[in-house]
Amino acid sequence: MNALAATNRNFRQAARILGLDSKLERSLLIPFREIKVECTIPKDDGTLVSYVGFRVQHDNARGPMKGGIRYHPEVDLDEVNALAQLMTWKTAVADIPYGGAKGGIGCVPKELSLSELERLTRVFTQKIHDLIGINTDVPAPDMGTNAQTMAWILDEYSKFHGHSPAVVTGKPVDLGGSLGRESATGRGVVYAAEALLNEQGKQIKDLTFAIQGFGNVGSWVAKLIHEIGGKVVAVSDITGAVKNQNGLDIPALLSHKEATGKLNDFGGGDVMSTDELLTHDCDVLIPCALGGVLNRENADHVKAKFIVEAANHPTDPDADEVPLLQILSKKGVLILPDIYANAGGVTVSYFEWVQNIQGFMWEEEKVNRELKKYMTKAFGNLKSMCQTHSCNLRMGAFTLGVNRVARATQLRGWEA
């Protein structure tokens, strides 16, 4: 089952729980607009090469559409569609005034020079500039893109529409980006985990953590948990995995990764296989990397009592049916779903957009304080839906998001 089918299934289950009208349900599922463009650029050697770019704008009932742009060889319309729809529910769960969108270009960014990436980004922006905008659709960075990519989009867009810093978020701070944006997704994951653990009468400082993925999100999660006093006992990424049951020295590990580019050969821990991390002995497992890593093969061996989904779809969409959930629930495992847990990034993107529109920038302390407020409030609302509908955390999040979008759609007069 692909990501789109899994997202659709979760949406339909939420719609049934909420008792939505079948016509309204169908209307909410259909994307507002799907865009496919050919981006042809000259390479540095003078040859021409063409890439396919997508932008799916899913829903704008609650505000401008919002979502990242990813550069990855496996970008296709199905994936972009699923992620755009997920953004609609995610922004509603976080209660920020956005709809959902997503974009991407099918390419291998590491195989392109900086100037080739710039040309590709500018051509893509030229093709979609009249379909994005401050009050229409606000892109952001995603896998394979970064603040520099957003700077190019801002510059190219501004050639057509005048200076418009609020057209993208995740920009460099020098161009109107928000302080605290780099750490936002990881910080949001920690605030989400804190909310769940507090509700269970537990605290981060008393627990052990295993973190899969040590990129931007995973490294910030590890750093913040370490600062709070929690023990990060295992960490992995594509270069390898390390463990130390007494707790890894995260600042030293970050320095080692920066110096060597890999986790292996770190003196403060023992080497382990990357597959072993998911079943490592810990209280809280936080997958921060790829989708589909938790499946029927390894679910029975998961030792963590809490799983915080920092990545998108880390629970295999096919395995996230009854058999997998039965395995994990019998073991007493609580899963905090991605649709809520990794909403910190889009929440601080919203703060950036607000700052750009006001022309008034916030201190980083205010950004972090507001983020904690939004994540904590969203968890309370999610739990209320769980109690009202007697459902798990994933369905609590989906019913919360879908209900808000359905209500906004009805209030606007969707059948008119």
Side-chain angles (χ1 to χ4, degrees), residues 3 30 62 99 118 129 154 245 253 314 359 380 405:
I30 298 168
R62 298 183 69 255
E118 180 175 354
H129 77 88
L154 166 61
Q245 212 51 35
L253 183 59
V405 178

Side-chain angles (χ1 to χ4, degrees), residues 153-175:
I153 294 174
L154 166 61
D155 184 66
E156 198 63 29
Y157 181 87
S158 296
K159 291 176 184 176
F160 295 95
H161 303 275
H163 183 57
S164 311
V167 73
V168 287
T169 58
K171 303 179 293 294
V173 173
D174 290 341
L175 290 177

Side-chain angles (χ1 to χ4, degrees), residues 69 71 117-118 121-122 125 140-142 144-155 168 170-172:
I69 292 175
Y71 290 0
L117 282 170
E118 180 175 354
T121 303
R122 289 185 183 276
T125 308
D142 202 309
T145 60
N146 54 25
Q148 178 61 72
T149 318
M150 296 305 106
W152 293 328
I153 294 174
L154 166 61
D155 184 66
V168 287
K171 303 179 293 294

Side-chain angles (χ1 to χ4, degrees), residues 48 301 370 391 406 408 411:
L48 282 181
H301 305 290
E370 290 294 320
C391 58
L411 287 169

Side-chain angles (χ1 to χ4, degrees), residues 14-33:
R16 278 198 303 275
I17 290 169
L18 293 165
L20 291 190
D21 173 83
S22 60
K23 286 185 288 184
L24 176 59
E25 179 184 337
R26 179 166 168 72
S27 171
L28 291 177
L29 208 52
I30 298 168
F32 173 78
R33 184 187 283 134

Side-chain angles (χ1 to χ4, degrees), residues 32-54:
F32 173 78
R33 184 187 283 134
E34 293 180 352
I35 304 149
K36 178 184 175 184
V37 293
E38 289 283 343
C39 301
T40 304
I41 61 161
K43 294 201 77 175
D44 292 343
D45 63 8
T47 58
L48 282 181
V49 62
S50 193
Y51 300 96
V52 179
F54 303 97

Side-chain angles (χ1 to χ4, degrees), residues 49-127:
V49 62
S50 193
Y51 300 96
V52 179
F54 303 97
R55 187 71 180 171
V56 174
Q57 298 171 332
H58 180 257
D59 191 279
N60 62 357
R62 298 183 69 255
M65 292 165 284
K66 184 87 187 82
I69 292 175
R70 57 175 52 185
Y71 290 0
H72 193 272
E74 290 174 21
V75 166
D76 62 28
L77 195 55
D78 258 7
E79 182 195 46
V80 176
N81 229 314
L83 293 169
Q85 188 195 139
L86 206 59
M87 283 301 295
T88 298
W89 318 133
K90 185 181 291 186
T91 52
V93 168
D95 202 15
I96 52 180
Y98 282 143
K102 207 74 175 185
I105 300 175
C107 67
V108 184
K110 286 182 180 174
E111 293 178 2
L112 296 170
S113 70
L114 193 65
S115 60
E116 287 167 346
L117 282 170
E118 180 175 354
R119 287 195 288 276
L120 179 58
T121 303
R122 289 185 183 276
V123 169
F124 183 54
T125 308
Q126 288 163 18
K127 298 286 178 93

